[in-house]
Amino acid sequence: MPLQIPDPVLGTWAKGFSARTAGIRLSEIAGADLHLSDLTTPILTVHEAALAHNEMTVFDWASEQGVLLAPHGKTTMAPALWQRLLDAGAWGISVATTWQAEVAVAAGVRTVLIANAVTDREAARHLGALLAGDAGLRILCWADSPTTVGILADALCDAPRPLDVLVELGGAGGRTGARSLAEGESIAEAILDAPGLRLAGVTGYEGPFGPDRSATSIAAVDAYLETLVTLHRRLAYSEDVRPVLSAGGSAFPDRAAAVLAPHRADADIVLRSGAFQIHDDGFYSRMSPFGPLTSTAPLRSAMHAWSRVVSQPEPNLALLDAGRRDVPFDLGLPIPQSVDGEITALNDQHAFLHLADTASVVPGDVVRLGLSHPCTAFDKWRVVAVIDDPDADDPRVVGAVATCF
């Protein structure tokens, strides 16, 4: 089903888009005969061919493994990119908050998985109203305590359609989630007893248990995933429910599939991997198993930033016009790709580029930057340009997507 894709008229509000694009609708960018040089720096771009490669690689792999994908929409908050995922066969779209869920529902997503607990009564009532108004809509959320179940039950006791709730199981040192199987079972019992709610499965997030891909981390991740399976097998679901058994999967999709997929006969195995569509040149390039570990092609970074030299106050130091308001820095600093050097620090609006002895730039030069962590790249941009080839002398702009942050 086609989503409602934002199609604003561009203006000065759209960072990176120059005066030449003012008054052009987003949907008209593809036919506007624009190149990267027609935009202003700093600018974030996505690479069309890399997007398609990553989508095909991961969806083909998921099909072979017998797992479903509900990619995390909060990564980009871009309905145009969600549409690509749904067209590729996504089971649904995951989000992190009730507001993001509203964005997804308004866009036309039919299955929305809120990968979080909902503890706001008014927000829960609104979810109930959305379900009541659309028989084809499915919304799922999490609960990791009887208190959370009580909040949902209070808000939805008179709802005409039940809200699907998954028991979230965590572990010592993890993030949210019940800390024991016994707690998980008590949460499930509370859901079963609550009017307006339906026990829909078991879920969790394995990321905190493996900071890298060492043997120790893999063992910890697998052990955690096994607890999700154990809890799932202990629960009794209503006859009208095909339960969901879900894990995160951005860094460890291979492990999630290996541990959970053998149970697909009695559950939908849903991975919420969100970073794969964009991928990166930093954290996920180191963590992703795609390539030899999965017998697939490796993923490719589909995002780059382009930043202009604004000063060269010292022989081996150049200052760029991209800073913390433009590029991610939480999982690693940007990586210069068109000049030999290193970004050593970011201010709000500047990057410190320390050049190798053999490298040189002058004010006005544009430097391509590889980035780490798509989630904290897209949230800084309201419009992102889509280009045909980041290696071209002057890439052609073949489209643009709007974000809803």
Side-chain angles (χ1 to χ4, degrees), residues 215-227:
T216 300
S217 289
I218 295 297
V221 167
D222 284 2
Y224 167 72
L225 292 166
E226 289 287 0
T227 66

Side-chain angles (χ1 to χ4, degrees), residues 45-327:
T45 64
V46 293
H47 179 202
E48 165 65 33
L51 283 176
H53 166 81
N54 294 344
E55 292 157 356
M56 181 179 68
T57 298
V58 176
F59 276 96
D60 285 352
W61 169 85
S63 178
E64 292 172 0
Q65 298 298 311
V67 301
L68 303 169
L69 298 177
H72 221 316
K74 59 98 175 171
T75 299
T76 64
M77 285 305 293
L81 296 179
W82 298 350
Q83 182 73 70
R84 296 176 63 109
L85 296 167
L86 293 169
D87 289 346
W91 175 86
I93 296 294
S94 295
V95 295
T97 68
T98 54
W99 169 75
Q100 291 174 1
E102 290 183 48
V103 172
V105 171
V109 178
R110 311 307 291 150
T111 299
V112 180
L113 172 58
I114 303 174
N116 213 340
V118 176
T119 57
D120 181 330
R121 284 181 175 81
E122 286 305 312
R125 290 190 182 99
H126 185 56
L127 295 179
L130 291 173
L131 289 168
D134 187 345
L137 175 66
R138 188 182 187 192
I139 299 175
L140 308 91
C141 71
W142 299 0
D144 69 353
S145 73
T147 301
T148 298
V149 176
I151 292 170
L152 293 172
D154 178 63
L156 297 164
C157 59
D158 297 322
R161 290 183 60 207
L163 175 68
D164 285 336
V165 183
L166 281 67
V167 178
E168 183 194 2
L169 187 63
R175 196 164 65 185
T176 52
R179 289 321 202 229
S180 71
L181 292 169
E183 289 178 24
E185 290 178 285
S186 69
I187 295 163
E189 291 171 3
I191 296 169
L192 288 168
D193 291 340
L197 306 183
R198 181 167 61 180
L199 178 64
V202 173
T203 188
Y205 174 51
E206 73 285 354
F209 301 96
D212 51 39
R213 292 198 64 91
S214 66
T216 300
S217 289
I218 295 297
V221 167
D222 284 2
Y224 167 72
L225 292 166
E226 289 287 0
T227 66
L228 299 183
V229 173
T230 299
L231 179 59
H232 161 66
R233 298 183 70 175
R234 290 186 183 183
L235 301 185
Y237 301 98
S238 300
E239 291 185 359
D240 63 337
V241 171
R242 178 169 171 80
V244 171
L245 183 55
S246 177
S250 279
F252 299 99
D254 55 327
R255 303 318 310 153
V259 176
L260 303 185
H263 305 277
R264 61 184 177 273
D266 62 356
D268 285 337
I269 309 304
V270 178
L271 305 189
R272 306 184 304 275
S273 316
F276 74 84
Q277 185 183 32
I278 302 298
H279 199 49
D280 70 9
D281 284 306
F283 177 77
Y284 287 108
S285 70
R286 298 188 297 271
M287 293 291 288
S288 174
F290 288 100
L293 290 178
T294 53
S295 299
T296 66
L299 302 184
R300 296 158 55 188
S301 178
M303 66 176 180
H304 300 91
W306 307 79
S307 185
R308 196 175 303 273
V309 177
V310 294
S311 175
Q312 191 175 10
E314 301 170 15
N316 292 101
L317 173 65
L319 279 297
L320 310 181
D321 63 359
R324 290 180 174 227
R325 296 185 177 185
D326 311 300
V327 293

